[in-house]
Amino acid sequence: MGFSHAEENYLKVIYKLSKLQPKGVSTKSIGELLQIKSPTVSDMLRKLGNKKLIKYTKYKGVFLTVKGEQIALKVIRKHRLWETFLVQKFKFKWDEVHYIAEQLEHIDSRELVNRLDEYLDFPQFDPHGDPIPDENGEIAERHNKTLDQVKKGSDVIIVGVKDHSSEFLKYIESLSLTLGAKVSVMDVINYDKSFIVKVNDGKEIGLSLLVCKNLFIS
Amino acid sequence: MGFSHAEENYLKVIYKLSKLQPKGVSTKSIGELLQIKSPTVSDMLRKLGNKKLIKYTKYKGVFLTVKGEQIALKVIRKHRLWETFLVQKFKFKWDEVHYIAEQLEHIDSRELVNRLDEYLDFPQFDPHGDPIPDENGEIAERHNKTLDQVKKGSDVIIVGVKDHSSEFLKYIESLSLTLGAKVSVMDVINYDKSFIVKVNDGKEIGLSLLVCKNLFIS
DNA sequence: AAATTAAATTAGATATGCCTAATCATTTTA
DNA sequence: TAAAATGATTAGGCATATCTAATTTAATTT
């Protein structure tokens, strides 16, 4: 007994939003992420509530149940494994895989997912640095420190991106800011909080606050 | 502008049936293959006709248009490439891949298909011996000679299977009758037209007429 | 050629997943 | 705290893809 693509998509975004909205996920935010109007979201929430995949009380934010979270994690696992596959084996760029993985994440076959995982040698993180849940739904702690949080003089490593948009990814790639890149913070401009950094000991470049906020570091 | 899974499935089976029903494919046969009742099929045929994917005249058999055939061949190409991938790279058995490939064949990404093709080194035939259409819809002639058509004393090679059912595939695999197997016809029993054969010069075994009719040979 | 059988279509219904317009509830602001 | 703004839900529709029951058309049999 499986779930529809629509249901899986809702559960996935509720999972993601629940990390940002611990008091319950709003109808509005779900609709915005899925590009779906809120009456449609309301309908689906009632349906997911009836199926005990979320805790739903009218006019209150929603929460995933254990079962709902399990399903969300399976979809996220598949999405991230397929993204890893596409980049590692098929040589796609990290900004090209999202649309394809959005489709592949709904393929229903437990055995396929596990063979994919094995084929990739059980990766812990996907090409954007996001952690990949294991078969039991265990997932590594997400990186949450961003470049804007460090002080002048720090040496850090890029371990993930918060913004997955093609535009952002292409831009930072053009600056050699890929996963694993070493970033040395030479200066922080007080006026606009922008950063002057060296990437892999290259020449100095400037990064806006917005860019820094979207780079996970360790 | 893509097509729904349902539409793609109809086009695929109409393509396959058109090889057997050159005077036009019947509503009934489409419904049987897709496990869908005929009124539903009628509705869809009208719809596909309006979209100029098939030539549809009420109460007459249907034909694919050039455009409809192109789409059918793309779906078949994806299905057969994915089956090849699953068997070659993920080590699935040839009787395990159908359900998964039925889903993967609808993934929409021209680039993905071409990279898959390249990753597999442009295979001509899938794990069941069926020819794989190329990017332009060109497809090798299907094998059409079956084992039941040869005479006592013939030496032939298994190049494909007509029946893709798990039951059939498992059975013939247990007899070492896989693709590439050498079959020597030792005798044909007149009473029931069954065959006595040696597989890869092993010991003699009997094959019913039905089994022989489902084995493509060269 | 008429009667029967088989196949195909139409009519009418259902579930999913989406929409807009209108209403209701909650939160924020003056 | 009352009014306004924001957010959520209900009401009513629509398209897709399916179904069963009834009807129509074509094919087969006598």
Side-chain angles (χ1 to χ4, degrees):
Chain A
M1 215 271 297
F3 298 93
S4 70
H5 291 199
E7 288 171 330
E8 289 188 348
N9 286 336
Y10 278 90
L11 293 173
K12 184 179 60 167
V13 309
I14 294 168
Y15 176 87
K16 288 181 178 177
L17 289 168
S18 67
K19 304 298 168 187
L20 309 169
Q21 294 166 225
K23 290 170 186 168
V25 177
S26 69
T27 301
K28 192 177 187 238
S29 60
I30 296 168
E32 278 168 0
L33 255 193
L34 287 174
Q35 298 273 78
I36 284 170
K37 296 290 184 286
S38 28
T40 308
V41 177
S42 272
D43 275 0
M44 183 59 99
L45 294 182
R46 189 170 20 72
K47 192 174 146 195
L48 294 173
N50 291 338
K51 292 191 179 184
K52 307 290 184 200
L53 299 174
I54 63 172
K55 183 165 164 296
Y56 174 59
T57 316
K58 280 203 297 193
Y59 293 104
K60 299 280 189 284
V62 303
F63 300 87
L64 290 178
T65 61
V66 171
K67 192 176 168 200
E69 185 177 78
Q70 280 173 353
I71 295 160
L73 284 164
K74 277 183 187 166
V75 177
I76 289 166
R77 169 171 160 79
K78 286 189 277 183
H79 184 100
R80 292 181 182 169
L81 282 174
W82 279 117
E83 285 203 344
T84 306
F85 173 84
L86 293 172
V87 168
Q88 283 187 11
K89 303 298 182 184
F90 282 7
K91 307 304 174 195
F92 279 96
K93 299 273 192 62
W94 66 348
D95 60 296
E96 297 173 329
V97 294
H98 189 74
Y99 172 72
I100 304 174
E102 286 282 300
Q103 298 176 69
L104 287 166
E105 74 188 5
H106 300 296
I107 302 290
D108 169 39
S109 166
R110 189 192 179 111
E111 191 58 31
L112 177 64
V113 183
N114 290 337
R115 299 227 185 170
L116 174 62
D117 198 13
E118 187 186 354
Y119 195 72
L120 298 170
D121 206 16
F122 308 103
Q124 299 282 303
F125 295 92
D126 78 8
H128 307 103
D130 296 319
I132 301 175
D134 73 12
E135 202 187 343
N136 305 310
E138 300 293 329
I139 181 169
E141 197 62 38
R142 163 178 283 296
H143 305 293
N144 51 19
K145 196 168 185 186
T146 47
L147 184 54
D148 64 295
Q149 293 166 15
V150 305
K151 297 208 185 84
K152 174 175 171 177
S154 306
D155 271 21
V156 300
I157 303 289
I158 302 294
V159 295
V161 292
K162 199 173 210 168
D163 181 353
H164 287 204
S165 75
S166 182
E167 190 174 14
F168 180 68
L169 295 174
K170 278 181 171 151
Y171 171 58
I172 63 170
E173 190 170 25
S174 76
L175 302 173
S176 300
L177 281 168
T178 48
L179 292 210
K182 180 188 161 198
V183 174
S184 307
V185 180
M186 310 311 289
D187 203 2
V188 179
I189 308 300
N190 194 53
Y191 174 67
D192 63 359
K193 310 294 186 225
S194 71
F195 278 50
I196 309 297
V197 303
K198 276 190 182 176
V199 180
N200 294 326
D201 297 315
K203 66 172 194 284
E204 292 191 355
I205 58 170
L207 297 178
S208 73
L209 177 60
L210 181 59
V211 168
C212 294
K213 278 180 182 292
N214 281 305
L215 291 170
F216 290 118
I217 51 105
S218 74
Chain B
M1 213 270 297
F3 298 92
S4 70
H5 290 200
E7 288 170 330
E8 289 188 347
N9 286 335
Y10 279 90
L11 294 173
K12 184 179 60 167
V13 309
I14 294 168
Y15 176 87
K16 289 181 178 178
L17 289 169
S18 67
K19 304 299 169 188
L20 309 169
Q21 295 166 225
K23 290 171 188 169
V25 177
S26 69
T27 301
K28 192 177 186 237
S29 60
I30 296 168
E32 279 168 0
L33 254 193
L34 287 173
Q35 297 275 79
I36 284 171
K37 296 290 185 286
S38 29
T40 309
V41 177
S42 273
D43 276 359
M44 183 59 100
L45 294 182
R46 190 171 20 74
K47 194 175 146 195
L48 294 173
N50 291 338
K51 292 192 179 186
K52 306 291 184 200
L53 299 173
I54 62 172
K55 183 165 165 295
Y56 174 59
T57 315
K58 279 204 296 192
Y59 294 103
K60 298 281 188 299
V62 304
F63 300 86
L64 290 178
T65 61
V66 171
K67 192 176 169 199
E69 185 178 78
Q70 280 173 354
I71 295 160
L73 283 164
K74 277 182 186 166
V75 177
I76 289 166
R77 169 171 160 79
K78 286 189 278 184
H79 184 100
R80 292 180 182 169
L81 282 174
W82 279 117
E83 285 204 343
T84 305
F85 173 85
L86 293 173
V87 168
Q88 283 186 12
K89 304 296 182 184
F90 281 7
K91 307 303 174 197
F92 279 96
K93 299 272 192 63
W94 66 348
D95 60 294
E96 297 173 329
V97 293
H98 190 73
Y99 173 71
I100 304 174
E102 286 282 300
Q103 298 176 67
L104 288 166
E105 74 188 5
H106 300 295
I107 302 290
D108 170 37
S109 166
R110 188 192 180 110
E111 191 57 32
L112 176 64
V113 182
N114 291 338
R115 299 225 185 172
L116 174 61
D117 198 12
E118 186 186 355
Y119 195 71
L120 298 170
D121 206 17
F122 308 103
Q124 299 282 303
F125 295 93
D126 78 8
H128 307 102
D130 296 317
I132 300 174
D134 73 13
E135 201 187 344
N136 305 311
E138 301 292 330
I139 182 170
E141 197 63 37
R142 163 178 282 295
H143 304 293
N144 51 17
K145 196 169 185 185
T146 47
L147 183 55
D148 64 296
Q149 293 165 16
V150 304
K151 297 207 185 87
K152 174 174 171 178
S154 306
D155 271 21
V156 300
I157 303 291
I158 302 295
V159 295
V161 292
K162 199 173 210 167
D163 181 353
H164 287 204
S165 75
S166 182
E167 191 175 13
F168 180 67
L169 295 173
K170 279 181 170 151
Y171 172 57
I172 63 171
E173 190 171 24
S174 76
L175 301 174
S176 301
L177 281 169
T178 49
L179 292 210
K182 180 188 160 198
V183 174
S184 307
V185 180
M186 310 311 288
D187 203 1
V188 179
I189 309 299
N190 193 55
Y191 173 67
D192 62 359
K193 310 296 185 221
S194 71
F195 278 51
I196 310 298
V197 303
K198 275 190 181 174
V199 181
N200 294 326
D201 297 315
K203 66 172 194 283
E204 291 191 356
I205 57 169
L207 298 177
S208 73
L209 177 60
L210 181 60
V211 168
C212 293
K213 277 180 181 293
N214 280 307
L215 291 170
F216 290 118
I217 52 104
S218 73

